[in-house]
Amino acid sequence: MDIAPNQSSTQFLSSEESAQVDAALLSSPEKFLTRLTISSLRILQHIAKEQEMRVEELTTKQIIAWFEKDAKLRREEGIEEAFLKW
């Protein structure tokens, strides 16, 4: 399965990708972890793009700072302004 970094922030898996995960011979917990892994990768790709670096170069501090910034943006300007919409 290809990981498309250009997915919308409100949909981390396309309908096709979700169907591929459902069709895989995995248990329900494994399917959940697969979806979580893909979503996590997409968030890291977004953070790296904002920082103009590769995902592998991100530090824990940068990732935490990004989540804090996104949460602050959601609180102060509304959910539509934040990257994470859940």
Side-chain angles (χ1 to χ4, degrees):
M1 173 187 323
D2 291 329
I3 305 298
N6 297 350
Q7 287 288 318
S8 132
S9 64
T10 59
Q11 181 182 6
F12 288 102
L13 268 71
S14 68
S15 298
E16 179 183 303
E17 291 168 329
S18 187
Q20 288 176 331
V21 172
D22 285 338
L25 299 175
L26 300 171
S27 66
S28 291
E30 290 169 329
K31 289 178 184 181
F32 169 77
L33 289 174
T34 300
R35 286 184 173 90
L36 181 62
T37 300
I38 294 168
S39 297
S40 297
L41 175 59
R42 294 218 170 112
I43 292 170
L44 290 173
Q45 288 171 329
H46 176 80
I47 296 168
K49 185 177 179 181
E50 279 189 1
Q51 299 287 327
E52 298 180 350
M53 58 182 21
R54 295 182 3 223
V55 170
E56 297 84 4
E57 297 170 332
L58 289 171
T59 66
T60 304
K61 272 186 162 182
Q62 289 170 309
I63 296 168
I64 291 170
W66 182 88
F67 274 97
E68 290 171 343
K69 181 180 105 181
D70 197 62
K72 182 179 179 184
L73 190 62
R74 185 181 308 105
R75 281 190 312 273
E76 293 178 358
E77 297 186 31
I79 195 166
E80 291 306 315
E81 298 302 316
F83 178 76
L84 298 175
K85 307 281 189 227
W86 55 62

